[in-house]
């Protein structure tokens, strides 16, 4: 069940399941609302835990209110169950993962703050998808990090085109190179890999320069990375790829935020592939000029 906020009818994405010893899962019913003072509230309805061996919470932690809802839900479940069985958490998108280093004095290490919050809830297992770097999994207790290639493998179209070498892989920066090489290795080295490099102003985040270290003339290319927010990195990269003669440009990102919409990619990127980690498939906006495919998990 996906309960609705009783105040403004906004859908609550958090889903909670009870598992029995055979692996069958049953949704746990609850109500959620926000008090006028801003306090989040969770109330579970009648729950039969007689066959329960574990509880799993699935949530997209995309804003601060969901963090509080998660904390409240865990406390309520522990009280209801007398902590008789483990509680596991699935958060496909790990929030604050991009804040995994302190670049400028005075900044917080956001990934560590978020990991501490989750660790304090004492989950038996925490599952995330395609961590931004090795920092987040290292900070989380009892974590399972689902690799990007496992998610991409669920897209038959991309898998087929990569396995035949039809697509050339583009690594957008040195940070993405390991994951890009892993994709190529999974397909027995069939797809060629070309490295791109970008230079940023550390204080403003502005991309100063982008370079392509290889020949893309006449090729169909696939840019692979973990997160797309506003899309500036991929816009600048696509411009260079087009200038260098790429005939088709596609983008695969695990976590599609697309805070500026898909319109910013018009005329530059032909197709976008992403998962439903950041938002449910029905919540994505569409664009007639760009093919969008959501890999649902």
């Amino acid at each position: 069940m996906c309960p609705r906020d009783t105040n403004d009818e906004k859908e609550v994405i958090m889903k909670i399941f009870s598992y029995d010893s055979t692996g069958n899962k049953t949704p746990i019913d609850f109500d959620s609302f926000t008090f006028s003072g801003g306090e989040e509230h969770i109330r579970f309805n009648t729950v039969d835990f007689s066959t329960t061996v574990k509880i799993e919470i699935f949530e997209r932690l995309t804003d601060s209110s969901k963090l509080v809802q998660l904390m409240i839900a865990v406390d309520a479940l522990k009280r209801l169950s007398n902590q008789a069985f483990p509680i596991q958490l699935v958060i496909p998108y790990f929030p604050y993962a991009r804040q995994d280093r302190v670049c400028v004095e005075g900044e917080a290490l956001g990934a560590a703050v978020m990991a501490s919050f989750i660790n304090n809830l004492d989950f038996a297992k925490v599952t995330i998808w395609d961590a931004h770097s090795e920092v987040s999994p290292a900070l989380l207790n009892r974590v399972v990090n689902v690799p990007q290639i496992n998610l991409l493998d669920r897209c038959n179209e991309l898998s087929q085109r990569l396995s035949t070498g039809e697509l050339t892989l583009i690594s957008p920066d040195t940070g993405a190179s390991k994951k890009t090489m892993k994709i190529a290795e999974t397909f027995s080295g069939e797809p060629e890999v070309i490295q791109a490099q970008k230079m940023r102003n550390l204080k403003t985040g502005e991309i100063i320069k982008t370079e392509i270290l290889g020949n893309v003339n006449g090729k169909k290319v696939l840019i692979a990375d973990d997160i797309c927010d506003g899309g500036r990195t991929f816009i600048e990269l696509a411009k260079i790829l087009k200038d260098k003669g790429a005939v088709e440009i596609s983008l695969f990102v695990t976590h599609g935020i697309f805070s500026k919409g898909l319109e910013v990619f018009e005329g530059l990127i032909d197709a976008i592939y992403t998962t439903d980690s950041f938002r449910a498939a029905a919540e994505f906006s569409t664009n007639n000029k760009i093919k969008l495919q959501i890999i649902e998990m």
Side-chain angles (χ1 to χ4, degrees):
M1 173 184 177
C2 277
R4 293 186 177 276
D5 189 300
T6 57
N7 283 345
D8 58 9
E9 293 299 307
K10 287 194 306 181
E11 185 178 9
V12 175
I13 302 298
M14 181 165 58
K15 298 178 182 179
I16 304 177
F17 302 98
S18 167
Y19 284 77
D20 65 20
S21 59
T22 65
N24 291 323
K25 67 178 182 179
T26 304
I28 296 178
D29 188 24
F30 65 94
D31 295 316
S32 169
F33 61 88
T34 305
F35 286 105
S36 56
E39 300 93 340
E40 300 295 337
H41 187 73
I42 297 285
R43 180 188 297 121
F44 287 92
N45 301 317
T46 303
V47 182
D48 179 9
F49 288 127
S50 60
T51 62
T52 300
V53 296
K54 75 173 183 180
I55 290 175
E56 180 185 84
I57 301 175
F58 177 95
E59 178 61 298
R60 296 178 176 94
L61 294 178
T62 54
D63 62 58
S64 57
S65 64
K66 293 181 180 181
L67 296 173
V68 178
Q69 288 173 356
L70 174 63
M71 179 172 58
I72 297 297
V74 169
D75 182 78
L77 285 168
K78 287 181 177 179
R79 292 174 185 276
L80 272 175
S81 65
N82 293 316
Q83 303 189 49
F85 30 74
I87 300 176
Q88 300 181 359
L89 177 67
V90 178
I91 45 170
Y93 176 76
F94 180 69
Y96 294 82
R98 287 174 285 178
Q99 297 181 27
D100 59 359
R101 68 195 70 187
V102 176
C103 296
V104 180
E105 186 178 359
E107 292 181 340
L109 186 58
V113 174
M114 185 53 53
S116 178
F117 170 85
I118 292 171
N119 289 340
N120 285 335
L121 295 177
D122 197 28
F123 292 105
K125 182 171 77 172
V126 177
T127 301
I128 60 177
W129 297 356
D130 188 15
H132 181 62
S133 70
E134 296 176 354
V135 175
S136 299
L139 292 169
L140 286 165
N141 297 335
R142 297 176 289 279
V143 66
V144 173
N145 178 31
V146 179
Q148 183 184 44
I149 186 59
N150 290 20
L151 305 169
L152 186 152
D153 192 49
R154 294 181 179 234
C155 181
N156 293 332
E157 177 187 334
L158 277 184
S159 295
Q160 183 176 2
R161 297 184 74 188
L162 286 167
S163 65
T164 60
E166 178 186 350
L167 294 175
T168 294
L169 281 165
I170 305 294
S171 175
D173 53 37
T174 53
S177 60
K178 278 187 179 181
K179 294 179 181 181
T180 308
M181 290 304 299
K182 183 65 177 178
I183 294 172
E185 291 169 6
T186 301
F187 293 101
S188 303
E190 284 298 331
E192 179 187 5
V193 178
I194 292 178
Q195 182 68 52
Q197 289 184 342
K198 62 185 178 184
M199 296 178 60
R200 286 185 183 270
N201 182 312
L202 289 180
K203 289 188 176 181
T204 65
E206 181 183 359
I207 298 174
I208 301 170
K209 186 179 181 182
T210 300
E211 292 183 342
I212 308 295
L213 307 181
N215 180 20
V216 297
N217 187 42
K219 296 178 181 178
K220 300 176 181 179
V221 302
L222 174 68
I223 306 167
D225 209 347
D226 62 324
I227 299 174
C228 178
D229 193 335
R232 178 69 183 276
T233 293
F234 307 114
I235 291 168
E236 296 303 319
L237 178 54
K239 289 177 181 177
I240 302 298
L241 290 168
K242 274 195 171 295
D243 288 344
K244 297 289 186 180
V247 295
E248 179 188 309
I249 302 174
S250 300
L251 171 67
F252 173 79
V253 287
T254 302
H255 311 292
I257 300 174
F258 306 128
S259 58
K260 303 295 185 182
L262 300 184
E263 292 76 14
V264 295
F265 304 110
E266 288 182 7
L268 295 170
I269 293 179
D270 304 292
I272 295 176
Y273 303 84
T274 189
T275 76
D276 58 352
S277 65
F278 189 81
R279 58 170 59 88
E283 296 176 3
F284 280 87
S285 60
T286 57
N287 185 292
N288 293 331
K289 298 181 180 179
I290 299 173
K291 174 183 176 182
L292 175 65
Q293 184 168 332
I294 310 301
I295 305 166
E296 299 186 64
M297 300 298 158

